[in-house]
Each structure stands twice: as C-alpha cells, then as structure tokens.
C-alpha cells in the first residue's frame, strides 16, 4: 500500500506540474497566436495523435499488464512500434498535401511535415516509459514528463515570440520529444530494448489488435468535433473549441489522468493476486467525483472571468462553450476507470465492443450539431455523455458486479460536496451579473469560499476523500518539523 500511495503521489505531482506548465503556455500563446493559427495546429496535432495510437498498437498496455515479460517480448514491442512508426510517417508525408487541400489551408501540410520528425522518436520513448510504469517507477516518469513539458512550453513561447506563428507549436512538439527521449535514456539506459526481434509477436498482436482499435476509435471520437468544425466552420472555430475543451479537461488532465497510469498496473496486480475490484471501482468514482464535479460546476459558474484571465479578451467567444462543456462533462464521471478495469480483468475485447456500440451514434449527434454552431456541439454532450456512461456501466457490471445502491450512495455524497463548493462562486457571480471582470477581490472570495464550502461538505458527509487529506494538526506538525530542521540544513550548506 505504501508503494501504491507513493506511485499516486508522484503521478499527481507530474500531472499537476505539467498541467500548470501547459496552462501557463496556453495563456501566453493565446496572446501571441490567433485562434485561427491555434486551430491549424490542433487539426494537425489530432492527426499525429491518431498516428501515435496506431503506432503503439497496445504495446504499452501489453508491457504493463502481462503476467511476465521477457527480453524477447520487450524487443518485439519495440520492433512492432518502430515498424508502424515508419509506415505511419510515410502515410503522413504522402497525404499531408491532400489533407491540407481537403481543409483548404496549405499551412496544415507544413504542420504535419514538421511534427513527423518528433513522431518518430516516440518509437524509442514508449517502450522505456511502459517498462517504468510496470515497475511503478512514477518518480522517474514524473521527472521525465515534467522536463518534456518545460521544453515544450519554453520552445513554443520562444518561437511564437520570434514570429513563427502556427509553426511554433509543431516545432515545440519536436523539441519536447528530443528532451523526453534524452531524459528517458538517462533514467533507464537499457539499449538492448532497441534490438529488433519478433519472438513474441503472437502475444503482442493478440493483445494489441483490440487495444489499438479501441484507442483509435475513442480518440477519433474525441477529436471528431474539431475535425468536423474545421470543415464546416473553419479553423477559428476549432481554436475556440479546443481551448474551451482544454479548460474543461483540466481536472481530468491533472487528477484523473494522474490516476490512470497507476490504476492499470495496480488493478492488474490486484487481479493477479486474486483480489476483487468492485470496491476499488466504486471508491475510485467517489474520490474522482468529489474533486471533478466541484471544479466543473465552479468553472461553469465562472466561465467568463476564467476565459478572460487565462485566454484574454480575444477568446471570449469560448466562454459559453466552456459553460456547456463543463456541465455536460458531469455525466462522464467514471469514464476514466472503464479501460483500466476491463483490461485488468482480461476483457480488452469488451472495451472495443462498448466503443463500437456507443461512439458511432454519438459522432452522428456531434456532426448534426456542428451545422448549428459551436454552442450546439458543446450542448450535444448532454446527450452523448449519459449514453456512453450507461453502456460503460452495463459492460463493467458483467465482470465486476457492483450494487447500484452503493453507486448512488457514493454519488449522493459527492453531489452534496459539489453543492457546498458552489454556494460562494454562484453568489458572487450573481451579485456581479456574471461579468468577465468581477474584480480580484471577488474572484479571491469565490475561490476561498468554494474551498471552505468544499471542506465543510466533505466533513459533513464523511466523504472517503477526507481520509486522504492531511488534518490541520498534521500540517502544523509537518511545518514545525521542517522549521526545526532548517538550521541544521543551513549549517550543512555553509559547511
């Protein structure tokens, strides 16, 4: 348990650090690069992201969840990844111009050609990070990814300031890949990983086919609104929608995505030991909703000032989209647990089945909404979100049975916590007429009041999240201990 908590801690540190770095980069770039230029990179980046998923072919998850791995298995995953990378890069380079022609903008071909260089490095990066995750070495992973985020942010801002515009983001992606590979090799310099070999190809392909297909379908769906908007409304709409999505996904990127890399190996280890996952599944939902829901509701209430502060006045058109996406995302509270749970119990096929059932009709809803504008696309989440979660619950309960009453009890507590955290922001927003500029004092009051209401509701409901939060006495004791040790450390430095 100590090792698991340590893994969670380092995973959270990594995600929060990279989220803060990316938020700072986004705020700076919003004042240096136009929504139209951001939109061009988003579409190019989406195509590269889909290529990255195809390239992985489930190799990362295979290395993490396999009962035992051999040197031949590691070499096989690298060989498959490298070969697919070369194939995908060839396809990207050949189709870059036709894709740009389809969207009516030659800049898209430039982005794809630049990003191809960074894409190839992933064939060397992914096996190393997967092995580190299997070993639960999340302290090393945290440092590696933080280094990459710093390089990416610094390069993007520097290049944008120098006038590279939309190209700055693609060039920063390449610089980040170089930095991550260098750091990964420094922490795990096992060059034998990169020897070609296909000895375990049957195991890798058996697992990878389903994992890769599931990942491609899910990420294509996530990117679908932006791909459709670029064709129907143009790159300016894509820029606004992508930045609105980024703000809404902050709790997912910083909290829930920090849980995912740890959950898969942790769940897989629990299953190998003969454990039962229903309690862990419900506990994970309880913890996530107690943080995610208050953030999303607070963001919906304060959408205008958040957009004004983070993105600037040129992006105020994103505020209504932020509000709709935030409220619509409340229904996706357990989505992050579906994949690791099903993979851990050996039901990778069911992840593909669930995706094929729910995502095509959801994509149709999004496409129809795109003809009615940005707000309609954001509002479509009120239809697609509940549908996706309903299918997810049905599939999971076939293999990890849990009582509906227990789920409702967990969600009720989190709903009360969310209400407690929302009182102060809502009162201040109403008093100021939901203005984008309520003043620094009002914003501080909203955030502080939300934190106080959140803690009070956690305590009143005896929410399980309280067990993970340090008590005031523990915080004071830790501060006192550090102060007592400070003179000793100062003496050590002077010596």
């Amino acid at each position: 348990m100590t090792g698991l908590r340590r893994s969670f801690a380092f995973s959270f540190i990594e995600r929060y650090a990279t989220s803060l770095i990316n938020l700072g980069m986004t705020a700076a770039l919003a004042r240096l690069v136009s929504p139209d230029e951001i939109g061009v990179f988003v579409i190019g980046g989406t195509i590269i992201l889909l290529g990255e998923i195809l390239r992985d072919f489930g190799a990362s998850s295979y290395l993490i969840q396999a009962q035992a791995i051999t040197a031949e298995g590691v070499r096989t995953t690298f060989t498959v990844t490298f070969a697919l990378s070369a194939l995908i890069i060839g396809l990207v380079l050949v189709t870059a111009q036709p894709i740009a022609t389809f969207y009516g903008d030659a800049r898209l071909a430039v982005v794809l050609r630049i990003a191809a260089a960074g894409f190839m490095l992933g064939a060397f990066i992914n096996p190393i990070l997967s092995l580190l995750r299997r070993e639960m070495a999340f302290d090393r992973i945290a440092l590696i990814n933080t280094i990459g985020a710093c390089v990416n942010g610094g390069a993007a801002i520097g290049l944008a300031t120098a006038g590279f515009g939309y190209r700055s983001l693609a060039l920063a992606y390449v610089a980040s890949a170089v930095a991550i590979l260098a750091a990964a090799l420094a922490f795990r310099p096992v060059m034998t990983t990169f020897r070609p070999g296909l000895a375990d190809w049957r195991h890798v392909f058996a697992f990878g086919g389903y994992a890769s297909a599931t990942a491609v379908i899910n990420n294509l769906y996530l990117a679908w609104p932006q791909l459709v908007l670029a064709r129907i409304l143009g790159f300016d709409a894509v820029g606004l929608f992508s930045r609105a999505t980024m703000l809404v996904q902050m709790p997912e990127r910083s909290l829930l995505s920090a849980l995912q890399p740890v959950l898969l190996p942790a769940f897989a280890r629990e299953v190998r030991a003969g454990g039962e996952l229903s309690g862990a599944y419900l506990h994970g939902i309880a913890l996530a909703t107690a943080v995610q829901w208050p953030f999303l509701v607070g963001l919906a209430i304060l959408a205008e000032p958040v957009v004004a502060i983070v993105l600037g006045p040129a992006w105020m058109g994103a505020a209504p989209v932020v509000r709709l996406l935030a409220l619509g995302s409340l229904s996706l509270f357990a989505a992050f647990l579906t994949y690791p749970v099903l993979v851990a119990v050996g039901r990778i096929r069911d992840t593909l089945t669930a995706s094929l059932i729910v995502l095509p009709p959801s994509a149709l809803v999004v496409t129809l909404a795109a003809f009615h504008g940005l707000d309609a696309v954001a509002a479509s989440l009120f239809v697609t979100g509940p549908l996706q979660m309903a299918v997810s619950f049905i599939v999971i309960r076939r293999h990890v049975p849990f009582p509906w009453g227990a789920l409702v009890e967990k969600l009720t507590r989190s709903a009360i916590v969310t209400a407690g955290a929302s009182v102060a922001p809502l009162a201040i927003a109403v008093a100021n007429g939901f203005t984008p500029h309520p003043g620094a004092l009002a914003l501080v009051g909203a955030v502080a009041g939300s934190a106080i209401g959140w803690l009070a509701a956690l305590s009143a409901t005896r929410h399980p999240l309280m067990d993970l939060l340090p008590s005031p006495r523990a915080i004071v004791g830790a501060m006192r201990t550090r102060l007592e040790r400070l003179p000793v450390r100062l003496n050590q430095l002077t010596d």
Side-chain angles (χ1 to χ4, degrees), residues 74-76 78-79 127-128 131 188 190-196:
V74 175
R75 292 169 189 166
T76 300
F78 165 71
T79 303
I128 300 176
L131 291 172
R188 206 179 195 280
V190 184
M191 299 306 293
T192 55
T193 300
F194 306 133
R195 292 180 185 174

Side-chain angles (χ1 to χ4, degrees), residues 4 9 18 30 34 95 99 124 134 157 192 231 238 241 313 346 435 450:
L4 184 58
T18 54
S34 68
T95 60
I99 291 172
F124 300 89
R134 181 181 178 87
I157 294 171
T192 55
R231 180 67 176 172
V238 174
F241 189 87
T435 175
S450 178

Side-chain angles (χ1 to χ4, degrees), residues 41-417:
F41 173 76
V42 167
I43 297 301
T46 297
I47 295 170
I48 293 297
L49 174 62
L50 293 174
E52 288 183 349
I53 297 164
L54 282 171
R55 174 259 302 285
D56 184 71
F57 202 71
S60 298
S61 296
Y62 168 76
L63 288 177
I64 293 171
Q65 65 84 45
Q67 290 283 350
I69 57 171
T70 62
E72 289 76 15
V74 175
R75 292 169 189 166
T76 300
T77 57
F78 165 71
T79 303
V80 170
T81 302
F82 184 87
L84 289 174
S85 297
L87 175 62
I88 292 168
I89 283 181
L91 290 174
V92 168
L93 294 177
V94 168
T95 60
Q97 192 56 52
I99 291 172
T101 301
F102 175 79
Y103 282 106
D105 199 313
R107 296 175 297 175
L108 190 53
V110 177
V111 168
L112 289 172
R113 289 166 183 156
I114 293 173
F119 178 85
M120 194 65 204
L121 296 179
F124 300 89
I125 295 170
N126 290 0
I128 300 176
L129 294 184
S130 297
L131 291 172
L132 289 173
R133 288 191 178 98
R134 181 181 178 87
E135 297 162 1
M136 307 290 280
F138 287 94
D139 52 345
R140 300 179 188 179
I141 294 173
L143 187 54
I144 291 169
N145 288 333
T146 302
I147 290 171
C150 289
V151 171
N152 182 62
I157 294 171
L159 291 167
T161 303
F164 281 80
Y166 68 95
R167 292 169 295 176
S168 60
L169 292 162
L171 291 168
Y173 166 73
V174 177
S176 175
V178 172
I180 290 174
L181 178 58
L185 288 173
F187 281 110
R188 206 179 195 280
V190 184
M191 299 306 293
T192 55
T193 300
F194 306 133
R195 292 180 185 174
L198 290 171
D200 276 4
W201 67 271
R202 288 184 178 84
H203 296 96
V204 174
F205 276 77
F207 182 88
Y210 291 105
S212 184
T214 302
V216 168
I217 292 172
N218 279 273
N219 282 275
L220 179 60
Y221 172 73
L222 292 176
W224 189 251
Q226 295 167 135
L227 295 173
V228 171
L229 287 171
R231 180 67 176 172
I232 297 174
L233 298 178
F235 289 111
D236 188 72
V238 174
L240 291 172
F241 189 87
S242 69
R243 289 303 173 252
T245 302
M246 182 274 298
L247 291 175
V248 173
Q249 289 180 345
M250 281 179 62
E252 180 179 341
R253 294 181 184 276
S254 58
L255 171 66
L256 304 187
S257 63
L259 290 171
Q260 274 187 325
V262 184
L263 286 175
L264 178 53
F267 284 168
R269 180 182 294 178
E270 183 73 15
V271 171
R272 289 195 292 266
E276 185 265 332
L277 292 183
S278 61
Y281 178 70
L282 293 175
H283 188 65
I285 289 176
L287 298 181
T289 51
V291 177
Q292 184 190 32
W293 281 2
F295 177 91
L296 290 174
V297 173
L299 180 62
I301 295 170
L302 301 174
E304 285 82 7
V306 168
V307 171
I309 292 171
V310 176
L311 302 178
W315 296 78
M316 289 309 300
V321 181
V322 168
R323 178 170 289 114
L324 289 169
L325 287 177
L327 294 176
S329 296
L330 292 172
S331 62
L332 297 173
F333 54 87
F336 77 106
L337 284 168
T338 302
Y339 182 81
V341 167
L342 290 177
V343 171
V345 297
R347 301 302 305 181
I348 184 68
R349 296 185 183 185
D350 286 357
T351 65
L352 178 59
T353 301
S355 297
L356 290 174
I357 291 173
V358 73
L359 296 187
S362 296
L364 177 61
V365 171
V366 172
T367 303
L368 295 175
F371 289 97
H372 300 280
L374 279 175
D375 291 355
V377 173
S380 68
L381 190 56
F382 288 93
V383 177
T384 61
L387 174 63
Q388 292 169 33
M389 284 316 308
V391 172
S392 176
F393 283 141
I394 292 171
V395 171
I396 286 179
R397 288 187 84 245
R398 292 173 57 190
H399 311 290
V400 185
F402 62 86
W404 291 111
L407 175 63
V408 171
E409 188 271 334
K410 301 288 187 185
L411 296 181
T412 300
R413 291 192 187 188
S414 292
I416 296 172
V417 170

